[in-house]
Structures are given as structure tokens and as C-alpha cells.
Amino acid sequence: MKRNNLFFVICIYRILVDILYNFGLKFSTSRVDFVFSFSIESYLISWLAFLLICGIYIFLFLDENRLSYNFSQQFFVLLFLLSVIPVTVMFGGGGISVECFRGYFLLIIWLLILQSIVYGLLQHEILDEEIKRNKWKKSVFAFIGIVFLLVIVVTFFYFNGGNFYSGGLNVYKQRFLWKQMVSAMPIVLTYMLMMANVIEMMLLLFCLRQKKYIVAFVVLVIWYMHFSLGGDKIVLLSLMITVITYYFAKSLSIERIFYGGCCVVCLCIFELCLYQFKFLNTDLGTTLLRRILFVPAGLQDCWFDFFTKHDSNLWGINTDYTIGYGLENIISDVYLNEPLGHADTGLLGDCFGNLGLYGIILYPVVLVVILMLFDYVVRRKDCRIFLGVSLLFVMNIMDSMLTTAMVSHGGFLMIIMLWLFPAQNDTEGA
């Protein structure tokens, strides 16, 4: 891969996302109201910043060879694909403020510098070392997987009455029923169901690699039981992405990841055109992309703007935000004028909301340490098959607090399962 070619592909992707945002996603939701205010100056600044960030990343920090064995390299590629470009696009279209744009720029540059230092300290890879067969790891991997699958099955029949969801993507009625189910569940069971998506992905990857297709089918059935409980679209999409990325894993490259992103955005633009000309009744593709790309970026701006006018949360120490509804509901009620709403945050909003500019410096340090743990546990494995898992982790980081991503959304469980996941040479006869 030539770096110039990759730079060109990323620029094409930025143009496509630009089109999708400015001409297709001038939208309003119950949580966020994006105001479209085009200006030549903001577009010039957003493009210059975009070219600078991508140039620094591609020509100074990028190492495509690490994609096959380095989880954090996948993390940064997907972060650029799903986060950096939409933030600059939204600034150009007036979707986020100058302050938020500057904060994100500082955060990304500092994160790249920290990660490059880690790369320099971990020069010696151990892929060629003899792999020790740890049968107890395989046993624990299987035990954890079976326990979580049983939790889904029991919950599906006991609390949901064994009803498979059949309402398409209009899942709001199902989510209302899910809230009623949660109120009758033990809190431990609720957390296990929130983290079960990670287990399903890991077990499916293992079954596909071992060609255990009957077991893989069972996992898929239980996965749909899981989706039927709460109508979570991330649960619905995650295993599809897991399967797709697995079968393209051996030929995976950074350039192809961005080509894939271009294809997805093109399909969304085409589908949006059909919707505008009344050939479709729903703009499904743009809705999904909006939730993945633009809503997280817009909510970053809400949190950033809110905490420029209010005291920091200090990771829950500030009692102003620990009494009553909770911080997310306070921002929804006070800032967005949506009483009892729930405004999630993400990469920038979390660090700035907790400690202001100092949080922007501290948060990436913590994140890089977490990424080092990921790199450590996959160091003897072909990391390409875990691209779908990496994508789920990036989306959780973009769309929620770090503590929530690591606990409620299964970040720590993900690290444990990746550590237990049998290496390629350790699965013979499994």
C-alpha cells in the first residue's frame, strides 16, 4: 500500500461524508438539534485541519503491518473512519462549535503522540515464539461463553415469554417492553445481558474458525433471542459485522477498510436519493449512519458546551451531578430541554466533562493504557479476525463514558475473552 493512495482514498471518503451530512442529514431528533449553517471559512478550516490530522497520522504514525497483530492499530484506523472525519465535516456544516472542534483536534493529536511512544517501546513482537498450549484457558473460555448464553436463553423464555421480535427496525415499542422487563430483573442479570454481545461475537468467531457451523448456528439463534429482548440495533448489527470482517480478514488492509467505508457511504447516499424521490418509505441507511457517525459527534458538542458553563463532574465526585437524575439526564433536561432524556457522551465529552482541558490530557493516557492491555492479550493471535470486536469497542468509546464502555458494555470482559481466545495453533483438535 502506498501512503499517497491511502491519503487519496480518505479524502474521497471525507467528500462523500460531506455530501451525506450537508445534503442528506440536516435532521432533528428528540435528543439533538443540528443547525445547518454553511460558511466558506468554516469549510476551509475543517478541510485544513482534516488534511493536517490525516497527514500526521498516515505519514508519521501509521504502520499497516501492525494491523494483523495489534488491536490498537485497528482502534486508530476505525477511530479515523468513524470519528475524526465526521467531526471535521460537522464543523464545516455548523453542526459543532469552534470550541468543541479545537478540543477534539487537541485530543486526537495527543492520543497519536502517546500511541507512537507506546509503539516505540514495544518494538519487539513475539508472534514467532512457541505457543504454549493452555487447555485451562480453552475451558474457561467455553465456560464463560456457555454461562452467558444460558443467561440469554433463560431470560428470553422467563421474562420475554419466548417471543421472537418481528417488528423490523422500528424497535421503540420493544424497548419500552424491555424497560418493563429490566425492572423485574436482578441487577446482576441486567449487566450480564448488556455484556453478552461481546460473548456472542467471540464464540461466533471461534466457531467459524473451527468450522463448527452447527454450533455457530446455535449461537446465531441465541443472538437473535438477545436482540428480541430489547431491540438493540448494536446487537443486531454486531454479529453481521463479525461474520463479514472474519471472511475478509486474511486479505484485510487499511486501504480496503477505507474503501469499504466509501462503499457504505455511497450506498447510503443512493438510498437517500431513492427516499427523496419517494421510491422508498424509510431512509434506513442514512438513519443507521447518522446514529453511528453524527449523533455521537453532536452529543460531544453538547457536553463540551455544557461544561464550558458549569463545573466539572470530577468523575462523579461533584455532588451536583450525583444527586437526582444523573449527569446524562441533567444535560438532557438543562441543556437540550428534554426532561428525563438521556444524553450519552463519548471520547471528548467524557474527558472534558470530568476535568476540562486537563481531562483532555489525562483521558488519552488512560485510554492508551487500556489499549496496551488489548495489545498484550492478542499478541500471539491473528488480530485481523477481531476487527468486528474492535469496531464495537470504538463505537462504545465514541458513544458513552469510558467507565460505561469498560464495565456496562463489556470492555473489561472483552479483554478477558481475547486473552482466553485460543491462538490459531492452539485450536487443533479443540
Side-chain angles (χ1 to χ4, degrees):
M1 178 205 67
K2 294 181 179 179
R3 294 176 185 270
N4 292 336
N5 291 344
L6 178 60
F7 192 79
F8 174 75
V9 172
I10 294 178
C11 287
I12 295 297
Y13 177 71
R14 157 72 205 251
I15 292 172
L16 291 172
V17 175
D18 239 345
I19 294 172
L20 190 62
Y21 176 73
N22 292 314
F23 300 102
L25 294 180
K26 295 175 284 185
F27 60 91
S28 176
T29 71
S30 60
R31 291 185 178 185
V32 184
D33 183 20
F34 292 109
V35 179
F36 178 74
S37 57
F38 177 89
S39 71
I40 297 296
E41 294 80 7
S42 62
Y43 262 109
L44 176 62
I45 295 173
S46 69
W47 264 97
L48 289 175
F50 163 76
L51 295 176
L52 179 60
I53 292 177
C54 290
I56 291 174
Y57 177 58
I58 293 172
F59 295 104
L60 295 182
F61 300 128
L62 182 63
D63 184 353
E64 185 176 17
N65 294 326
R66 293 180 179 271
L67 193 65
S68 63
Y69 60 82
N70 191 277
F71 188 94
S72 61
Q73 181 68 86
Q74 292 184 2
F75 175 88
F76 278 99
V77 172
L78 293 171
L79 185 67
F80 269 78
L81 185 70
L82 299 179
S83 183
V84 173
I85 297 173
V87 165
T88 58
V89 170
M90 292 186 69
F91 175 71
I96 62 174
S97 64
V98 176
E99 291 78 12
C100 179
F101 181 72
R102 290 172 179 170
Y104 207 95
F105 186 85
L106 174 63
L107 175 69
I108 293 299
I109 294 297
W110 176 229
L111 192 57
L112 288 176
I113 292 173
L114 286 175
Q115 188 62 16
S116 66
I117 294 174
V118 173
Y119 283 165
L121 295 175
L122 302 177
Q123 289 289 339
H124 302 291
E125 303 302 332
I126 53 178
L127 288 177
D128 297 329
E129 286 188 1
E130 181 180 356
I131 298 174
K132 297 179 180 179
R133 297 183 181 276
N134 295 317
K135 293 184 179 180
W136 69 270
K137 283 188 177 182
K138 289 187 288 185
S139 299
V140 175
F141 179 84
F143 175 76
I144 294 176
I146 291 172
V147 168
F148 273 84
L149 292 186
L150 286 176
V151 165
I152 296 173
V153 173
V154 171
T155 306
F156 177 74
F157 285 103
Y158 185 79
F159 291 97
N160 191 41
N163 298 315
F164 283 99
Y165 178 73
S166 58
L169 289 176
N170 186 18
V171 297
Y172 297 102
K173 182 179 180 180
Q174 189 66 23
R175 290 179 181 177
F176 175 76
L177 296 175
W178 166 246
K179 290 181 179 179
Q180 292 181 320
M181 282 188 277
V182 167
S183 63
M185 292 181 187
I187 188 67
V188 174
L189 183 60
T190 304
Y191 273 97
M192 291 185 72
L193 290 170
M194 292 173 67
M195 295 185 286
N197 196 201
V198 172
I199 302 297
E200 295 161 342
M201 297 173 74
M202 296 291 186
L203 290 179
L204 186 61
L205 284 173
F206 180 75
C207 292
L208 291 176
R209 197 176 66 177
Q210 290 298 103
K211 297 181 172 58
K212 298 180 181 293
Y213 298 118
I214 295 178
V215 181
F217 177 75
V218 173
V219 173
L220 287 174
V221 172
I222 297 176
W223 155 73
Y224 199 76
M225 291 180 181
H226 188 193
F227 170 69
S228 296
L229 292 174
D232 192 337
K233 295 176 184 177
I234 296 298
V235 173
L236 178 67
L237 293 173
S238 61
L239 260 68
M240 298 179 187
I241 295 172
T242 299
V243 174
I244 293 172
T245 55
Y246 173 81
Y247 282 109
F248 285 96
K250 296 302 179 183
S251 59
L252 192 64
S253 68
I254 291 175
E255 193 170 15
R256 289 178 179 176
I257 292 175
F258 278 95
Y259 273 125
C262 291
C263 291
V264 170
V265 179
C266 284
L267 287 174
C268 289
I269 293 174
F270 175 71
E271 186 262 352
L272 179 64
C273 292
L274 294 179
Y275 173 75
Q276 293 294 334
F277 286 104
K278 310 303 180 184
F279 293 115
L280 288 178
N281 294 324
T282 176
D283 56 338
L284 173 62
T286 54
T287 298
L288 293 175
L289 202 63
R290 168 177 65 84
R291 292 302 302 268
I292 293 172
L293 295 181
F294 297 110
V295 168
L299 288 173
Q300 303 281 350
D301 184 62
C302 293
W303 279 66
F304 200 98
D305 191 54
F306 180 87
F307 280 107
T308 57
K309 303 176 179 67
H310 298 82
D311 294 334
S312 298
N313 180 38
L314 302 176
W315 282 277
I317 297 176
N318 190 336
T319 56
D320 292 340
Y321 308 116
T322 57
I323 299 175
Y325 294 142
L327 184 59
E328 297 87 350
N329 302 95
I330 289 175
I331 291 180
S332 295
D333 193 354
V334 175
Y335 183 87
L336 298 176
N337 195 27
E338 291 287 340
L340 301 182
H342 191 90
D344 292 329
T345 183
L347 190 65
L348 178 64
D350 190 13
C351 62
F352 187 81
N354 281 301
L355 207 60
L357 291 176
Y358 296 106
I360 295 178
I361 302 300
L362 180 60
Y363 186 102
V365 177
V366 177
L367 183 56
V368 165
V369 171
I370 293 173
L371 290 174
M372 287 175 64
L373 289 176
F374 275 105
D375 290 342
Y376 175 77
V377 299
V378 301
R379 69 193 186 284
R380 292 188 177 100
K381 304 175 178 73
D382 185 352
C383 198
R384 290 172 293 186
I385 67 171
F386 300 127
L387 183 68
V389 180
S390 179
L391 177 61
L392 178 64
F393 182 69
V394 171
M395 290 174 62
N396 288 337
I397 291 294
M398 286 173 55
D399 201 31
S400 61
M401 295 181 179
L402 180 60
T403 50
T404 302
M406 296 306 297
V407 179
S408 300
H409 296 325
F412 286 122
L413 181 62
M414 192 180 295
I415 293 175
I416 293 172
M417 293 300 288
L418 285 171
W419 178 58
L420 296 172
F421 196 96
Q424 181 65 44
N425 294 340
D426 201 24
T427 59
E428 298 172 1

